[in-house]
Amino acid sequence: MVDLSGNESSATYFILIGLPGLEEAQFWLAFPLCSLYFIAVLGNLTIIYIVWTERSLHEPMYIFLCMLSGLDVLISTSSMPKMMAIFWFNSTTIQFDACLLQMFAIHSLTGMESTVLLAMAFDRYVAICHPLRHATVLTLPRVTKIGMAAVVRGVALMAPLPFFIKHLPFCRSNILSHSYCLHQDVMKLACADIRVNIIYGLIVIISAIGLDSLLISLSYLLILKTVLGLTHEAQAKAFGTCVSHVCAVFIFYVPFIGLSMVHRFDKRHDSLLPVIMANTYLLVPPVLNPIVYGVKTKEIRQRILRLFHVTTHTSDP
């Protein structure tokens, strides 16, 4: 517990406020949120199962998709159970170490997902711009190493986070404005200079999200340059293989960048906007990614229909 007399002390627990101003409606809002969570878990586990059991899908694009689905399940699971406990059972208390673990998991998994999206962009670049080299560049062992590198990178970027948070004194309040623990939210409660935390956060965002989004944009510029020189039929086929990934990129980066901007420029402590955007950032991508890939990727769509014993007589153009 923080020292309410104003003396510097370490927090032993925090209070997660949930949805500021909507406390009375939280119980009912939890039902659609819980439904979205189960849709996200079911959809992503279905993608993983299909790719795992279908040997014809053991290709780099689908293996990276499998990694993306696994990360989506972990990201949503890192926050949703506690969020449901807040909304349904008013379990607003979270121990300091549990808060730190949740914070580390969310941020490190986010870094991993950004790396996987970059790897998927690289896969599309090689497949379209250098198709004859695709099989030799993106071999199964190399794809595995890329996946391991994504994990190591995400963990390494967040390794200093527990140190920076544990050494902060908390004497103002122990009430967090979100439904789960975020670095931006926790460090604002400290009664010490947090410039180191701010600089660290900026370095992580620039070196991970900023660099990855720049390289993804560059890869698609090169892809666009190559595709424009193809026939109309080849252009349609090339764009068709990229649509799902482009959607996944926008679904992931737009809420993340929006949340970062709101945290930086919205100074109102009781604002509901950052909370809504934070929940969107952790829940919407895991829900939409399987839907996008299920609808736009012919191979995934056919196997989903087969899995659920649905027959279709329509043919793809």
Side-chain angles (χ1 to χ4, degrees):
M1 184 69 181
V2 289
D3 185 355
L4 297 179
S5 65
N7 298 321
E8 290 190 1
S9 65
S10 295
T12 58
Y13 67 89
F14 293 105
I15 303 296
L16 296 168
I17 198 170
L19 298 175
L22 296 177
E23 288 81 3
E24 297 297 326
Q26 285 182 166
F27 180 85
W28 301 108
L29 290 173
F31 286 98
L33 289 175
C34 188
S35 300
L36 288 175
Y37 171 64
F38 280 113
I39 291 172
V41 172
L42 178 62
N44 285 288
L45 290 181
T46 300
I47 295 289
I48 293 171
Y49 174 78
I50 289 172
V51 175
W52 183 268
T53 55
E54 292 284 346
R55 293 190 62 84
S56 62
L57 298 181
H58 291 182
E59 299 177 5
M61 182 176 74
Y62 300 110
I63 295 172
F64 286 134
L65 174 59
C66 222
M67 295 179 189
L68 184 70
S69 294
L71 289 170
D72 279 340
V73 171
L74 292 175
I75 287 176
S76 57
T77 302
S78 65
S79 61
M80 286 304 297
K82 180 60 180 177
M83 197 183 303
M84 294 302 99
I86 295 170
F87 292 172
W88 277 333
F89 307 109
N90 199 32
S91 177
T92 57
T93 301
I94 184 169
Q95 296 299 314
F96 180 86
D97 288 338
C99 182
L100 196 63
L101 179 61
Q102 186 185 59
M103 191 190 315
F104 178 83
I106 290 171
H107 291 299
S108 60
L109 290 169
T110 298
M112 294 176 203
E113 182 152 340
S114 180
T115 306
V116 170
L117 287 171
L118 174 59
M120 296 173 80
F122 178 68
D123 169 67
R124 291 300 84 206
Y125 163 73
V126 177
I128 294 173
C129 299
H130 305 283
L132 299 179
R133 297 177 56 191
H134 185 260
T136 56
V137 171
L138 284 164
T139 60
L140 184 58
R142 193 163 290 167
V143 169
T144 303
K145 290 178 181 178
I146 291 173
M148 294 172 62
V151 174
V152 171
R153 185 194 188 204
V155 172
L157 284 172
M158 290 299 116
L161 180 62
F163 174 81
F164 286 135
I165 295 296
K166 274 185 172 292
H167 285 74
L168 285 177
F170 296 93
C171 60
R172 294 173 181 169
S173 172
N174 62 345
I175 300 177
L176 298 173
S177 61
H178 285 64
S179 306
Y180 54 87
C181 294
L182 280 176
H183 178 224
Q184 304 97 312
D185 202 20
V186 173
M187 70 179 183
K188 290 178 182 179
L189 299 182
C191 51
D193 191 348
I194 59 172
R195 279 180 295 182
V196 173
N197 293 71
I198 294 174
I199 293 171
Y200 164 68
L202 287 173
I203 291 173
V204 169
I205 290 175
I206 292 171
S207 61
I209 305 300
L211 179 61
D212 291 353
S213 59
L214 179 63
L215 292 175
I216 290 171
S217 300
L218 178 61
S219 69
Y220 273 104
L221 285 175
L222 296 174
I223 289 171
L224 183 61
K225 181 181 178 182
T226 300
V227 169
L228 290 177
L230 302 176
T231 63
H232 290 297
E233 184 179 351
Q235 286 179 358
K237 184 177 180 180
F239 282 129
T241 64
C242 295
V243 168
S244 300
H245 179 253
V246 171
C247 291
V249 168
F250 277 101
I251 289 168
F252 175 79
Y253 283 106
V254 170
F256 180 88
I257 294 172
L259 177 62
S260 299
M261 297 294 288
V262 167
H263 268 290
R264 183 158 299 277
F265 297 110
D266 191 348
K267 304 302 181 182
R268 296 171 297 171
H269 297 290
D270 58 345
S271 176
L272 187 60
L273 179 61
V275 181
I276 293 175
M277 293 191 68
N279 293 338
T280 300
Y281 149 65
L282 282 193
L283 192 56
V284 170
V287 170
L288 292 184
N289 281 338
I291 296 174
V292 169
Y293 276 94
V295 171
K296 300 300 296 182
T297 307
K298 177 182 176 181
E299 293 77 7
I300 297 292
R301 183 173 69 251
Q302 289 177 340
R303 283 155 180 82
I304 290 175
L305 294 175
R306 189 189 309 165
L307 179 65
F308 292 99
H309 306 289
V310 177
T311 59
T312 177
H313 300 286
T314 60
S315 59
D316 291 291

